[in-house]
Amino acid sequence: MKLHEYQSKRLFSEYGIPIPDGDIASTATEAVDIASGLGGKVVVKAQVLVGGRGKAGGVKIAEDGIEAGACAEKILGMDISGLTVRKVLIDEAVDIDTEIYLGITNDRLKKCPVIMASAAGGIDIEEVAADTPEMIVREHIHPFLGLKSYQTRNMAVSIKLPEHLWKKFDDICQSLHSVYKTSDATLAEINPLVVTNEGNLLAVDGKMVLDENALGRQGDLEQLRDADLETVEESEARRYGLSYVALDGDIGCMVNGAGLAMGTMDIIKYFGGEPANFLDIGGGASAEKVSAALRIILKDGRVKVLLINIFGGITRCDEVAKGVVHAIDEVGVDVPMVVRLVGTNEEEGRELLASAKLATASSLADAAQKAIALAA
Amino acid sequence: MSILVDANTKVMVQGITGREGLFHTRQMLDYGTLVVAGVTPGKGGEIIANKIPVYDTCKGALEANSIDCSVIYVPAAFARDAILEAADAGVPLVICITEGIPVSDMMEVRAYLDNVDCRLIGPNCPGILSPGETKIGIIPGHIAEKGNVGIVSRSGTLTYEVLYALAQKGLGASTCVGIGGDPINGTNFIDVLDLFQNDPETKKIVMIGEIGGSDEELAADYISKFVDKPVVSFIAGQTAPPGKRMGHAGAIVEGGSGMASDKIEALMNAGALIANHPEEIPELLASR
């Protein structure tokens, strides 16, 4: 789950990381008030969960409250890569001496978190990694030992940070690691971490991504979710514990297991069809979940045919069949269906479905080709 | 001979009294798996399926039984504790079926397991099936035949699809190992490829990968150096859009890395045959 800049920075601040004074506005009037309260020059920043907002005109500098109001007026409601700007952050403008990158993420290969710093701050770290990888220094964080001060010193020396800032830099690294660990984040990033003309360090921009699997133990953090980032179908799917990703085709897919769901999309494409979605009902899905899954797929008006591919392991074919029968009764399914059930309790599942008029398939290739033929 | 487990492997089930644990314990018993004990805190003293004693702790189960392998069905919030408990009690092989474990929990587990003599398979995996000998986990046993193909996979249901497709063509598996779809897991492709390469019963290898991470690329490098048995591979997610997590926590194309096309290219360069879809795998195996 991605957090907005202002949400990330507020969390950083709670853990002792210095951030610019500022507040969030959803109207131009609020922006004027906040900017006037701050006094002096401010930065008005669109709060959207996509990159490239600067290039899109979503970040503007204003000399005073009135100008900040005018900037907010322009930015609020703006469309940036398909997302509407609903909030702007008004931050005091900062005198920048140098800009540093600082971030923590999980290293899949080393199986532990890694903290990264670069003197090339303020630009997308993926660009730095691609163009000048030698500009990024890394230290791996042992899950039991945590982040040690010598590691942050290693980074400070490598990025040529003046010695008088090493202690402040260590404090910020330690705080960033604390917020990362405590919030079960998979990314916590300060970019840029600014060295001001007065010789202070300030987190001017921030980004966090939280582990979806850990939200259950994170209390209030789940409330920070931005519903705009998901389609209505995606949020409904999440409520039922289903993984759903909308695609552009016309063959609706309901599959158990992520790998098989991807494999089913791939085979539809291989035989010349276009999948309408990725949908994994997960392991051990109940009839209720299956019924919800069908409702969600059918909300997409482009779906011309439904392909149900279930290979039962922990999922029982009879439970899936009950869900399908229930959905047919409840929702009314008016598109043709191709159903393939194999594995745990497949006989019981097939019996349950025998009364419904459905095309059945024995193999995956057969199922995909039948669905493609029905969609044509 | 099979790898990791065989007909004599004595199995403990953690979470044996839960809905999934109970159901799959019965399925394992039906298959002939030697389930000898179960663990559910607070349910010690109960008997499952008229013969399996339940213990409150792994320690208690190990004191009373000889156990080679533990299989875990506990909910995600308790899975870290369950894995560590089994490892600490001295179980040499732990198979974790549970999906949805926080990644930081798994990093702790991995850091702990680095220093103890315990192999973890999974999490978020279907377990291990050695047809005709034992099944530990949730792979439906009746769809697979015994044979000489070693199967290793990041996906559960896609693995069943492959076992089923092989059986339809009269081919069987020596052992089938699901390593799981999480970004941080216990055993990776290379570990299992090495076991198959050294297993005289395994003549050919099927490797099922998917988008996300770089384990397939590392496996390709390993294959080119150390594996001389034929390898057939399928990589799921060729049609997955970037930046979207495709069900599995580990299945995501991020910042241009983890793409199916890169994995396929690496595997082809290593000499593996690539299937366009799972049902092509049997003919590709036959061609080698």
Side-chain angles (χ1 to χ4, degrees), chain A residues 190-247:
Chain A
I190 304 173
N191 191 22
L193 175 65
V194 161
V195 182
T196 63
N197 289 338
E198 300 85 50
N200 287 317
L201 290 172
L202 208 55
V204 164
D205 198 351
K207 194 168 162 184
M208 281 189 88
V209 181
L210 306 182
D211 183 356
E212 295 277 351
N213 284 348
L215 286 174
R217 66 185 182 199
Q218 283 299 339
D220 296 342
L221 288 182
E222 167 102 59
Q223 308 302 320
L224 300 179
R225 189 186 294 276
D226 183 344
D228 280 3
L229 212 54
E230 293 176 325
T231 62
V232 179
E233 289 79 19
E234 280 169 354
S235 12
E236 194 183 343
R238 191 168 40 72
R239 277 200 300 279
Y240 281 97
L242 305 160
S243 299
Y244 173 87
V245 177
L247 302 166

Side-chain angles (χ1 to χ4, degrees), chain B residues 181-193:
Chain B
D182 273 7
I184 311 274
N185 58 10
T187 294
N188 60 28
F189 281 126
I190 292 176
D191 301 326
V192 183
L193 288 170

Side-chain angles (χ1 to χ4, degrees), chain A residues 106-109 111-113 126 142-144 180-181 184-186 211 213-214 217 229 234 243 245 247 256-260 262-263 265-267 269-271 275 278 280 282-284 309 311-314 316 319 340 342-346 362-366, chain B residues 19-20 23-24 27 80 97 99-105 107-108 110-112 138 140 142-143 154-155 157-158 160-161 164 183-185 210-215 218 234-241 244-251 255 276-280:
Chain A
N106 290 331
D107 186 330
R108 280 174 82 149
L109 274 183
K111 305 186 187 301
C112 65
E126 275 164 11
H142 192 281
F144 300 154
Y180 182 84
K181 198 173 159 77
D184 279 307
T186 55
D211 183 356
N213 284 348
R217 66 185 182 199
L229 212 54
E234 280 169 354
S243 299
V245 177
L247 302 166
N256 67 317
L260 189 56
M262 281 188 276
M265 282 159 48
D266 292 349
I267 198 171
K269 195 106 171 178
Y270 177 73
F271 284 114
F278 166 93
D280 170 14
N309 184 25
F311 216 118
I314 207 161
R316 298 162 214 172
E319 277 286 309
R340 176 169 178 255
V342 190
T344 309
N345 294 0
E346 61 181 58
S362 52
S363 74
L364 182 52
D366 182 32
Chain B
R19 181 179 184 260
E20 303 305 338
F23 178 81
H24 288 286
Q27 297 262 314
R80 166 178 53 184
I97 308 301
E99 178 174 6
I101 304 176
V103 66
S104 60
D105 289 9
M107 291 190 296
E108 279 191 12
R110 275 301 304 236
Y112 179 77
I138 60 174
H142 69 277
I143 58 168
R154 269 172 75 187
S155 155
T157 44
L158 204 44
Y160 313 161
E161 198 69 66
Y164 186 72
I184 311 274
N185 58 10
E210 64 188 28
I211 54 165
S214 54
D215 279 3
L218 294 174
F234 174 73
I235 304 296
Q238 297 177 53
T239 52
K244 292 277 187 183
R245 206 170 288 283
M246 306 304 279
H248 281 162
N276 290 305
H277 60 80
E279 286 163 350
E280 266 186 19

Side-chain angles (χ1 to χ4, degrees), chain A residues 89-104:
Chain A
L89 175 64
I90 319 290
D91 264 357
E92 58 171 350
V94 175
D95 291 321
I96 296 170
D97 180 40
T98 46
E99 293 181 307
I100 298 164
Y101 170 90
L102 184 67
I104 305 181

Side-chain angles (χ1 to χ4, degrees), chain B residues 12-27:
Chain B
M12 169 173 88
V13 179
Q14 289 174 260
I16 194 167
T17 56
R19 181 179 184 260
E20 303 305 338
L22 194 55
F23 178 81
H24 288 286
T25 297
R26 294 207 169 102
Q27 297 262 314

Side-chain angles (χ1 to χ4, degrees), chain A residues 16 21 30 43 56 65 72 80 97-98 112 152 181 186 253 267 273 297:
Chain A
D21 277 342
E30 282 172 22
V43 189
I80 300 180
D97 180 40
T98 46
C112 65
T152 70
K181 198 173 159 77
T186 55
C253 304
I267 198 171
I297 298 172

